Amino acid sequence: MSRVGIKPIEIPGGVKVTINGQKVTVEGPKGTLSREFSPLINVGWSEDEKSVVCTIKGESSREAKALWGTTRALIQNMVIGVKDGYEKSLEIVGVGWGASVAGQALKLSVGYANAVMVDIPQGVNVTVEKQLVKITGADKHAVGQLAAMARAVRKPEPYNGKGVKYAGEVIKRKQGKQFGS
């Protein structure tokens, strides 16, 4: 039995959930998110608890058990996203390195001959303040994916610590070469 999947998803005030077959749509102050789920999982509305409940349809298979907790977690992330939103912060460490927003793309100048452009998906907002890039949005997956793609342009290196890193991330430093005896 799934310890995550069995819990009901509490719906806070100001958030509206619509269930149409296997498609779940969540609307809130930060936006609207919609997602189609597996036919092995039944997503239903519990009127007495004012919550969404996930159960396994029919006979439980290994795949259905695996999707049960995942479905519940994805719906919970949608509810949190439309109510509060998600945020990731990146730091750019390097002399003369920086970032800027150019239309629907994040322009990273991180030591290459040309600036690298990373496309910004719909529903995600990016703000740049000197060496700090803030990525916000209602979709947890889109915010995390954009942050990961921006970090992958120039990962922090262990000798000088230069690169694009998450705010608060600790880079394990190495000593480097030894000269003399």
Side-chain angles (χ1 to χ4, degrees):
M1 178 157 1
S2 174
R3 294 181 185 164
V4 174
I6 201 166
K7 296 178 188 173
I9 304 162
E10 307 266 334
I11 305 301
V15 176
K16 181 184 171 199
V17 177
T18 308
I19 302 169
N20 187 7
Q22 293 306 111
K23 187 173 185 175
V24 177
T25 305
V26 183
E27 296 177 42
K30 298 277 184 178
T32 302
L33 296 175
S34 183
R35 190 176 181 120
E36 187 92 21
F37 291 103
S38 171
L40 298 173
I41 306 299
N42 183 30
V43 180
W45 175 257
S46 174
E47 190 62 45
D48 54 319
E49 296 179 20
K50 302 283 191 232
S51 61
V52 176
V53 179
C54 298
T55 56
I56 296 176
K57 282 186 183 175
E59 191 175 321
S60 64
S61 64
R62 185 180 183 108
E63 184 182 3
K65 288 179 184 177
L67 289 172
W68 187 17
T70 303
T71 301
R72 190 246 180 233
L74 290 172
I75 296 171
Q76 177 71 35
N77 288 344
M78 289 167 61
V79 170
I80 292 170
V82 298
K83 185 173 186 312
D84 302 325
Y86 288 99
E87 179 180 318
K88 290 269 188 181
S89 296
L90 298 171
E91 292 178 21
I92 300 174
V93 180
V95 177
W97 291 9
S100 62
V101 178
Q104 275 300 105
L106 177 63
K107 183 179 177 182
L108 296 170
S109 302
V110 287
Y112 296 122
N114 298 318
V116 179
M117 305 294 271
V118 180
D119 291 330
I120 300 172
Q122 287 294 110
V124 177
N125 298 323
V126 178
T127 56
V128 179
E129 301 166 7
K130 294 185 182 181
Q131 302 295 86
L132 190 68
V133 178
K134 281 193 177 181
I135 303 168
T136 58
D139 190 1
K140 185 176 187 178
H141 173 74
V143 169
Q145 183 67 29
L146 180 60
M149 287 174 19
R151 183 180 184 275
V153 168
R154 190 78 175 230
K155 289 184 182 175
E157 52 101 4
Y159 296 102
N160 297 324
K162 295 186 342 183
V164 180
K165 65 176 192 160
Y166 294 114
E169 180 182 10
V170 177
I171 305 302
K172 194 169 186 177
R173 302 293 293 268
K174 292 183 179 179
Q175 188 173 3
K177 290 186 177 179
Q178 293 290 324
F179 291 102
S181 54

